[in-house]
Amino acid sequence: MSKPLMAKATAVWLVDNTTLSFKQIGDFCGLHELEIQGIADGDVAAGVKGFDPVASNQLDPEEIKRAEASPIYRMRLKHNPAAEGEEKRRGPRYTPLSKRQDRPAAILWLVKFHPELADAQVAKLVGTTKPTIASIRERTHWNISNIQPIDPVALGLCRQTELDAAVQKAAKKKAAEGGVMTDDERRKLVSTETSLAMGDEPRLPSSIAGLENFSLSREDKRPEPPRDADSFFNLPDAEAETDAGDEDDGDEGKRR
């Protein structure tokens, strides 16, 4: 549903000049019901001057009367032929001044984790220019050594739905061209929650590829007989020494 111009100022005017419910005003202006309640209490939009939607040809007085008579009636914005196509934005996204310094970090994140995205898609997501994207891709940016990749969704530069739609579109284009995606690229096509829940796949280093079929178990060997200290040092038995001594004495007697 289209929103009126100066939605918050329009909500202020409707709160001050009608008996519409907070939900009806919120639905018409695209604001939350609690925010409309805050406007009525003076906690929100303090000092904002009300903007008359009837005088600006955005709302018919009959719509206000119908909504006041029925709490479930939703007012409709008056059709303006001159406003057709205004929501279709062309060119890079407008980025507030407070977030423009975060764009290089978002560009680096997209280039690193979604290399399948075209420069035009990256420029549309974060509101930048192609020369800036090229300098970060080629690492010739003047501040490239201090840039850390940060998710543009976390920075508030784009929505998760917009990022997912751009990634899916790039994947379809690559599949139509006959490109084969790697495992890492295919893993990046899932949503953020699914990707974080996935575990790492075990892989073997290329230097030991082909050894996965070998068994590490040793063949059964016959048990060796236990050894005592004497056998370890190869010491002769006492009986053998006695027999040897007797034989030596007998030989000496024969010689005499």
Side-chain angles (χ1 to χ4, degrees), residues 92-110:
R93 178 193 302 271
Y94 172 76
T95 306
L97 293 175
S98 60
K99 295 183 179 180
R100 291 185 182 180
Q101 60 183 359
D102 297 331
R103 285 188 298 190
I107 296 171
L108 183 59
W109 190 91
L110 293 172

Side-chain angles (χ1 to χ4, degrees), residues 9 19 51 64 96-97 150 184 186 188 198 227 251:
T19 58
F51 182 72
I64 297 178
L97 293 175
I150 304 177
D184 293 336
R186 190 179 295 106
K188 295 171 186 175
M198 295 173 61
R227 296 181 179 180
D251 292 340

Side-chain angles (χ1 to χ4, degrees), residues 194-205:
T194 306
S195 179
L196 293 176
M198 295 173 61
D200 297 335
E201 296 182 359
R203 295 183 179 180
L204 289 174

